[in-house]
Amino acid sequence: MTAYDDYVACLSAADEEGAVDVACALLDAGVSAERVLLDVVAPAQAQVGEWWQRNEWSVAQEHAATHISERVVAALGTLASRGRPGARRRVVVACLDGEWHALPARIVSEVLRMRGWQVTFLGASVPVAHLVSYLHANDIDAVAISCALATRLPMAHRAVQACHRTEVPLIVGGRGFGPGGRWARTIGACWAPDATGAADLLDDRDALRTPPPETLAHLADDEHTALVKRRGDLVEEAAAELRRVFPPMRDYSPAQLDATMADLSHIVDFLTAAVFVDDPELFTGFLTWTAEVLRSRGVPAASLVVPLERYRAMLYDFPRTGRTLAAGLERLTA
């Protein structure tokens, strides 16, 4: 077995001490802490997410594994910092408000620290106003923002605009910005694909001084704003339609009803985000992922068609939204 296999086995067994031992053994063997983070910890955590998606792991197992990986990241950071000269450049790393997936940002923080940065990690769900206040109150050379969910893109745009006004160089990263960082460019931000890319980009002062221009002129039609306002009505109407089409839903337990309402809310949130960046692929990608999750739990993916059809009927006078819903329905039926 490889060290990666050993590490994954420790996550599977919820063996925190064993996971730390695997990581430290790699350091003793001459592997850099950065490579341990990027070649073992990060991909193992991605594997955990895939197991949850396929219903092979419970939420509790996923949470336990995440906690262990967080402890391993902390241990590697402590060991790698011994004897390192004092850092001169200072970077702030934070997750967007409402963004609770903090482990990727924590890994980025440690890699930047290993690359010679003095890092202030603000953690998960940092309100934009608090982030900007911190930038104004301290002598900061750069800021890095993490986003794992595309539904947070409107918030990411507000954060990017606010940081640009402080004139502190900014980079963003995370799956929430789409394949190749396509939606980071849409909101006018420099994007890094991973921790190594973040370190390299922060060293490229010319790139940081010239972020891509945002391309959000389509927001002038106010469709996104209207969708945000109608979120509650859309979810309630879709739930009523599901109860009509699927009579067994009337006998759902409170937990089942809560899960159904959460799913319907997520559909609206991803639809709204797709309209915000004017890219149906954001929505169709989410539907593909959701269909896989539902199938792994014995729920037919066709159940997604009902709320989409209801949303399309309610939003008949929203042209961009209508095109996005049509793309989603085509993806599901295909």
Side-chain angles (χ1 to χ4, degrees), residues 327-334:
L329 285 164
E330 182 180 358
R331 178 68 63 88
L332 287 177
T333 55

Side-chain angles (χ1 to χ4, degrees), residues 96-306:
L96 286 171
D97 192 5
E99 177 60 72
W100 297 98
H101 296 78
L103 182 57
R106 181 68 184 276
I107 291 174
V108 169
S109 295
E110 294 305 329
V111 170
L112 292 179
R113 190 173 285 113
M114 294 167 191
R115 293 289 191 98
W117 286 85
Q118 179 184 344
V119 180
T120 300
F121 180 53
L122 299 185
S125 192
V126 180
V128 174
H130 294 184
L131 173 61
V132 171
S133 177
Y134 192 89
L135 297 180
H136 280 303
N138 296 273
D139 184 17
I140 305 299
D141 296 292
V143 57
I145 294 176
S146 174
C147 174
L149 293 174
T151 53
R152 310 307 300 163
L153 284 170
M155 179 64 68
H157 179 235
R158 289 195 287 274
V160 168
Q161 286 184 313
C163 289
H164 282 168
R165 285 193 291 270
T166 69
E167 298 185 350
V168 176
L170 165 77
I171 66 170
V172 300
R175 293 184 177 183
F177 292 106
R182 62 200 290 179
W183 304 316
R185 291 185 290 275
T186 300
I187 65 173
C190 295
W191 175 80
D194 51 27
T196 300
D200 293 340
L201 183 56
L202 286 174
D203 286 333
D204 189 346
R205 307 300 292 181
D206 291 337
L208 293 180
R209 280 193 290 265
T210 55
E214 65 177 52
T215 54
L216 294 169
H218 53 270
L219 293 178
D221 63 16
D222 287 333
E223 279 198 34
H224 174 260
T225 301
L227 278 175
V228 172
K229 291 180 179 179
R230 297 188 64 176
R231 181 180 187 272
D233 290 339
L234 289 166
V235 173
E236 289 295 334
E237 285 288 333
E241 184 69 4
L242 277 174
R243 283 191 290 268
R244 186 185 70 80
V245 175
F246 297 113
M249 182 178 167
R250 300 167 191 167
D251 298 322
Y252 274 11
S253 68
Q256 289 174 309
L257 286 174
D258 287 345
T260 301
M261 297 303 287
D263 289 341
L264 294 174
S265 299
H266 288 152
I267 293 173
V268 175
D269 291 342
F270 275 89
L271 173 64
T272 304
V275 171
F276 180 79
V277 295
D278 197 27
D279 188 349
E281 181 58 34
L282 189 158
F283 188 56
T284 57
F286 160 73
L287 290 176
T288 299
W289 178 86
T290 302
E292 293 174 355
V293 171
L294 291 177
R295 277 194 294 266
S296 71
R297 287 153 176 78
V299 180
S303 62
L304 292 169
V305 173
V306 175

Side-chain angles (χ1 to χ4, degrees), residues 42-79:
Q45 200 62 29
Q47 178 64 68
V48 167
E50 291 178 9
W51 281 333
W52 173 85
Q53 180 179 335
R54 298 198 299 261
N55 202 30
E56 296 174 13
W57 271 35
S58 68
V59 171
Q61 287 175 296
E62 187 272 336
H63 284 188
T66 300
H67 166 75
I68 291 171
S69 287
E70 287 173 344
R71 294 296 298 270
V72 170
V73 172
L76 288 172
T78 299
L79 293 172

Side-chain angles (χ1 to χ4, degrees), residues 6-63:
D6 291 338
Y7 185 80
V8 170
C10 290
L11 295 184
S12 299
D15 181 1
E16 179 180 325
E17 184 176 345
V20 173
D21 288 343
V22 170
C24 292
L26 286 170
L27 292 186
D28 293 340
V31 180
S32 71
E34 179 175 332
R35 295 271 41 101
V36 177
L37 288 173
L38 301 182
D39 297 341
V40 177
V41 179
Q45 200 62 29
Q47 178 64 68
V48 167
E50 291 178 9
W51 281 333
W52 173 85
Q53 180 179 335
R54 298 198 299 261
N55 202 30
E56 296 174 13
W57 271 35
S58 68
V59 171
Q61 287 175 296
E62 187 272 336
H63 284 188

